[in-house]
Amino acid sequence: MIAKVKPINQVACKDCILSTLCLPIALKVEDIDTLDSIIKRGKPLRKGEHLFFQGDTFSSIYAVRSGALKTYTTTDDGVEQITGFQLPSELVGLSGIDDEHYPVSAQAVETTMVCEIPFERLDELASTLPELRRKLMQIMSKEIREDQQMMLLLSKKNADERIATFLLNLAARFRRRGFSSQAFRLPMSRNEMGNYLGLAVETVSRVFTRFQKNGLIDANGKEVLIKDSMTICSLAGGKPVNQANDSLTG
Amino acid sequence: MIAKVKPINQVACKDCILSTLCLPIALKVEDIDTLDSIIKRGKPLRKGEHLFFQGDTFSSIYAVRSGALKTYTTTDDGVEQITGFQLPSELVGLSGIDDEHYPVSAQAVETTMVCEIPFERLDELASTLPELRRKLMQIMSKEIREDQQMMLLLSKKNADERIATFLLNLAARFRRRGFSSQAFRLPMSRNEMGNYLGLAVETVSRVFTRFQKNGLIDANGKEVLIKDSMTICSLAGGKPVNQANDSLTG
DNA sequence: CGTGCAGTTGATAAAGATCAAACACGGTGG
DNA sequence: CCACCGTGTTTGATCTTTATCAACTGCACG
C-alpha cells in the first residue's frame, strides 16, 4: 500500500489518470489546460471531515481525485438519508446549482482528495467550450438517470436485490477505474450502506452473511470478493432466474 | 369546464401563460422568439398515449403545456416504477441527454399537450444564450435535488408521511401555476400514486380514508381538499409534532 | 489490557403487502 | 331507460418482510 507516489493532489488535469473519466473528457488539449487553470486543489480531507454542509452557500462543484465521499440530506427532525457515494473522477455538488445553497452535506468516508471547480468560472468556460457544456449536461443527465434507478431500487426491490444491485454498481465503477471488479474494498460502513439502501444495519449484515453462506461472495469486513456474479446479476436485475432463489439465497 | 378557449397548442412562447415558469424564464424578448422558433407543437396526446418509450432514440425534450404526463422505467422482468409526474411548464426527457436512448417511457395520464424541443437545436441555442444555458442547468439541478428528496421519502418515510409529502408537493406545484393549493384534482390514479410512492394501492386507499376520517383532507375520488395543512405539513416534514400522531392519524 | 465502536446474531414486533371480496361509477348496448 | 360490464377503489383478514430491541463478538486503538 505504501509506495513512492508523486503528490497526486498537485497533478494537472492533463496528467491526471482520471482525465478520461472526469470532466476533461472530450476536451481538446489546449482546452484542458484552460479548465485546469480554474481548478483549485486543496489539502486532503480526513475520514469524517466535511467538504460542505447542507445549507452552505453554493459556489463550487468538486471532483473526487482519490478516496471517497458521501452526500446526505438531513430532514428537520434529524433523519439522514445518504444520497450517493462518489468515487474518484465523480462530481459532487451539482444539486446546488439551482439554489443559492447546497441541498446536501458532503463528507469524506475515507481520506479523500478533491479538485474544487468554482462554478462561476466553469459556467463562463462552458459558454466558449461547447464540448464542456455538453459534458456537463451529460453528467447531470446521468445523475438524474441513476437517481431514478435508485428510486426503483428503494421502491420495488427487496433486501437481497438491493445489496446485489449495490455490489454490482460498485464493481462496475471500480472496473472503469482500472481496478478489479471481482475483489475490492468497500469504502463505506455497513451502517452507511444500509442508510443509502433503505435497510437497517442488521439486515445488511444478514444479507452479507447469507450471500457468503450461499457462495455468492466472500466478505471479510470491508473486503469483498464476488464469486458468483451470474446469480448476483440476476438478483440485481430482478428475478429472471427464479428457480435459483431457494438454493442460492433462501 | 367547456369554454371557448383559443387553440392553446398553437400559442407562441411569448404569449404562453407558462412562460414565467417554463424554459423562457429569464430570457430576453427577442431570445424567447428564437427559442420559440425551434419548438414544434404536436397534436394532443390522449390519456394512455405515449410520448416516447424507454429505449427510443433520444432526440428531443418536451415541455408539458396542458394536462399531465408520467415517466416510468421498466426492469427486464417487467416491474414498473413511475419516476415522476409532469405538470404544465415542466420538462420531460432530460435523463436521455447522456445516452442515445431515453431511459424511461413517458405517457399521458390525462389528455395532454406538449411542446417538443429538439435537443440539438436547443444545445446550439444554449451556446449563444447564456441565460438559456444556465436555466437548463438549473432545471437539471433541481431535478436531481427532487429525485434525491424522493430517495429520502422512499427510504425513510412511512405511508402517512409519503402521502402527506406527495399532496403538499402537488399543492405547491398547483399554486405556482395559479390554481388553488387547497382544492385540486389529482391527475393520476391511486394505483399510479402507490407505484410512485412505493406503496400498494390498498395502502394508499387506507391512508386517504384515515386522513379523511381525521379531518386532514376531504377526498372524493380524484378531487382533494386540504383541510388541515398544518398537520399534513408536519407529517410531510418528519414528525416534529409527535404528540399529535395518535389523535390525528392513529 | 481495557474501552469502544462496528459488526453479527437471535427473538420479537410492526408496518405494510398480499389475498379476497365487495363496491362505485361511467360507459355500453339491449 | 335500465341492466350490465369492466375498471378503479375501498374494506377486511392474514401473512411476510424487515425493523427493532437486545445481547454478544471481535477488532482497533489508546
Side-chain angles (χ1 to χ4, degrees), chain A residues 71 73 75-77 79-84 94-99 103-104 119-120 123-124 126-127 130 133-134 136-145 147-152 154-157 194-199 237-240, chain B residues 71 73 75-77 79-84 94-99 103-104 119-120 123-124 126-127 130 133-134 136-145 147-152 154-157 194-199 237-240:
Chain A
T71 49
T73 37
T75 62
D76 299 334
D77 54 322
V79 176
E80 284 185 13
Q81 173 65 37
I82 294 175
T83 53
L94 294 169
S95 53
I97 294 177
D98 174 48
D99 203 355
V104 294
F119 184 70
E120 288 298 331
D123 187 52
E124 289 164 21
S127 67
R133 186 183 68 241
R134 282 196 163 241
L136 252 180
M137 297 236 274
Q138 281 177 6
I139 288 172
M140 295 183 81
S141 172
K142 187 171 175 218
E143 169 106 34
I144 294 172
R145 190 152 40 81
D147 287 350
Q148 292 181 346
Q149 286 303 306
M150 202 57 202
M151 286 167 55
L152 168 66
L154 292 170
S155 176
K156 300 285 183 296
K157 295 186 182 181
N195 181 293
Y196 179 57
L197 296 173
L199 298 171
K239 307 179 182 92
Chain B
T71 49
T73 36
T75 62
D76 298 335
D77 55 322
V79 176
E80 284 185 13
Q81 172 66 37
I82 294 175
T83 53
L94 294 168
S95 53
I97 293 176
D98 174 48
D99 203 354
V104 294
F119 184 70
E120 289 297 331
D123 187 52
E124 288 164 23
S127 68
R133 186 182 69 240
R134 283 198 161 240
L136 252 179
M137 298 237 272
Q138 282 177 5
I139 288 172
M140 295 185 81
S141 173
K142 187 171 175 217
E143 169 106 36
I144 293 172
R145 190 152 42 81
D147 287 350
Q148 292 181 346
Q149 286 302 307
M150 203 56 202
M151 286 168 54
L152 169 66
L154 292 170
S155 175
K156 300 284 183 295
K157 294 186 181 180
N195 181 295
Y196 179 58
L197 296 174
L199 298 171
K239 307 181 181 87

Side-chain angles (χ1 to χ4, degrees), chain B residues 30 46 64 103-105 136 139 164 177 184 186 198 219 236:
Chain B
E30 61 270 29
R46 275 163 308 177
V64 177
V104 294
S105 301
L136 252 179
I139 288 172
R177 284 160 186 77
F184 49 87
L186 301 167

Side-chain angles (χ1 to χ4, degrees), chain A residues 1-236:
Chain A
M1 275 301 164
I2 297 160
K4 13 178 188 165
V5 291
K6 56 177 162 183
I8 187 176
N9 208 27
Q10 297 310 317
V11 173
C13 283
K14 68 167 186 289
D15 300 323
C16 180
I17 51 165
L18 298 171
S19 66
T20 55
L21 297 168
C22 193
L23 214 42
I25 192 173
L27 290 191
K28 303 186 205 75
V29 178
E30 62 269 29
D31 293 342
I32 292 185
D33 283 338
T34 315
L35 174 63
D36 192 76
S37 70
I38 71 166
I39 290 178
K40 302 184 204 167
R41 299 183 177 80
K43 65 177 192 311
L45 291 165
R46 276 164 305 177
K47 178 175 175 171
E49 284 187 308
H50 279 80
L51 189 55
F52 52 78
F53 286 90
Q54 185 171 344
D56 282 359
T57 303
F58 171 76
S59 60
S60 296
I61 63 174
Y62 298 85
V64 177
R65 188 173 265 253
S66 66
L69 293 175
K70 70 175 180 193
T71 49
Y72 63 95
T73 37
T74 313
T75 62
D76 299 334
D77 54 322
V79 176
E80 284 185 13
Q81 173 65 37
I82 294 175
T83 53
F85 298 102
Q86 289 79 29
L87 300 184
S89 87
E90 294 173 347
L91 299 184
V92 58
L94 294 169
S95 53
I97 294 177
D98 174 48
D99 203 355
E100 297 281 293
H101 307 281
Y102 294 104
V104 294
S105 301
Q107 185 181 22
V109 296
E110 57 187 24
T111 303
T112 298
M113 279 183 289
V114 298
C115 299
E116 177 176 357
I117 311 169
F119 184 70
E120 288 298 331
R121 310 294 311 280
L122 183 64
D123 187 52
E124 289 164 21
L125 227 56
S127 67
T128 56
L129 303 179
E131 294 86 355
L132 183 63
R133 186 183 68 241
R134 282 196 163 241
K135 184 64 192 171
L136 252 180
M137 297 236 274
Q138 281 177 6
I139 288 172
M140 295 183 81
S141 172
K142 187 171 175 218
E143 169 106 34
I144 294 172
R145 190 152 40 81
E146 288 171 348
D147 287 350
Q148 292 181 346
Q149 286 303 306
M150 202 57 202
M151 286 167 55
L152 168 66
L153 178 145
L154 292 170
S155 176
K156 300 285 183 296
K157 295 186 182 181
N158 65 27
D160 283 9
E161 293 164 350
R162 291 182 198 199
I163 302 275
T165 306
F166 183 68
L167 289 176
L168 281 187
N169 178 273
L170 274 183
R173 285 154 79 189
F174 283 129
R175 178 167 46 223
R176 282 208 60 187
R177 284 160 186 78
F179 297 107
S180 169
S181 60
Q182 298 296 307
F184 49 85
R185 181 186 164 77
L186 300 167
M188 72 293 292
S189 69
R190 298 280 191 274
N191 219 315
E192 290 168 325
M193 211 185 306
N195 181 293
Y196 179 57
L197 296 173
L199 298 171
V201 207
E202 294 94 327
T203 306
V204 174
S205 183
R206 280 184 247 269
V207 173
F208 266 75
T209 305
R210 189 144 30 84
F211 276 9
Q212 181 143 7
K213 211 173 288 175
N214 293 322
L216 304 197
I217 63 170
D218 249 335
N220 189 344
K222 302 200 159 155
E223 300 293 337
V224 174
L225 172 70
I226 308 277
K227 289 169 68 182
D228 182 354
S229 60
M230 282 301 296
T231 306
I232 296 183
C233 268
S234 78
L235 271 173

Side-chain angles (χ1 to χ4, degrees), chain B residues 64-229:
Chain B
V64 177
R65 188 174 264 253
S66 66
L69 293 176
K70 69 176 179 192
T71 49
Y72 63 94
T73 36
T74 313
T75 62
D76 298 335
D77 55 322
V79 176
E80 284 185 13
Q81 172 66 37
I82 294 175
T83 53
F85 298 102
Q86 289 78 29
L87 301 185
S89 87
E90 294 173 346
L91 300 184
V92 58
L94 294 168
S95 53
I97 293 176
D98 174 48
D99 203 354
E100 297 282 293
H101 308 282
Y102 293 104
V104 294
S105 301
Q107 186 181 21
V109 296
E110 56 187 27
T111 304
T112 298
M113 280 184 287
V114 297
C115 299
E116 177 176 359
I117 311 169
F119 184 70
E120 289 297 331
R121 308 293 313 279
L122 183 63
D123 187 52
E124 288 164 23
L125 227 57
S127 68
T128 56
L129 303 178
E131 293 86 356
L132 182 63
R133 186 182 69 240
R134 283 198 161 240
K135 184 65 191 169
L136 252 179
M137 298 237 272
Q138 282 177 5
I139 288 172
M140 295 185 81
S141 173
K142 187 171 175 217
E143 169 106 36
I144 293 172
R145 190 152 42 81
E146 288 171 348
D147 287 350
Q148 292 181 346
Q149 286 302 307
M150 203 56 202
M151 286 168 54
L152 169 66
L153 178 145
L154 292 170
S155 175
K156 300 284 183 295
K157 294 186 181 180
N158 64 28
D160 284 8
E161 293 165 350
R162 291 182 198 199
I163 303 275
T165 306
F166 182 70
L167 289 177
L168 280 188
N169 178 273
L170 273 183
R173 285 153 80 189
F174 283 129
R175 178 167 44 220
R176 283 208 58 186
R177 284 160 186 77
F179 297 108
S180 169
S181 59
Q182 296 296 307
F184 49 87
R185 181 186 164 78
L186 301 167
M188 72 292 294
S189 69
R190 298 282 191 271
N191 218 317
E192 291 168 323
M193 211 184 308
N195 181 295
Y196 179 58
L197 296 174
L199 298 171
V201 208
E202 294 94 328
T203 305
V204 174
S205 182
R206 280 184 247 270
V207 173
F208 266 76
T209 305
R210 189 144 31 83
F211 276 8
Q212 181 144 8
K213 210 173 289 174
N214 293 322
L216 304 198
I217 62 170
D218 249 335
N220 190 347
K222 302 202 156 138
E223 300 292 338
V224 174
L225 172 71
I226 309 277
K227 289 170 68 182
D228 182 354
S229 61

Side-chain angles (χ1 to χ4, degrees), chain B residues 4-9 11 15:
Chain B
K4 11 175 187 164
V5 291
K6 55 177 159 181
I8 188 177
N9 209 27
V11 174
D15 300 322

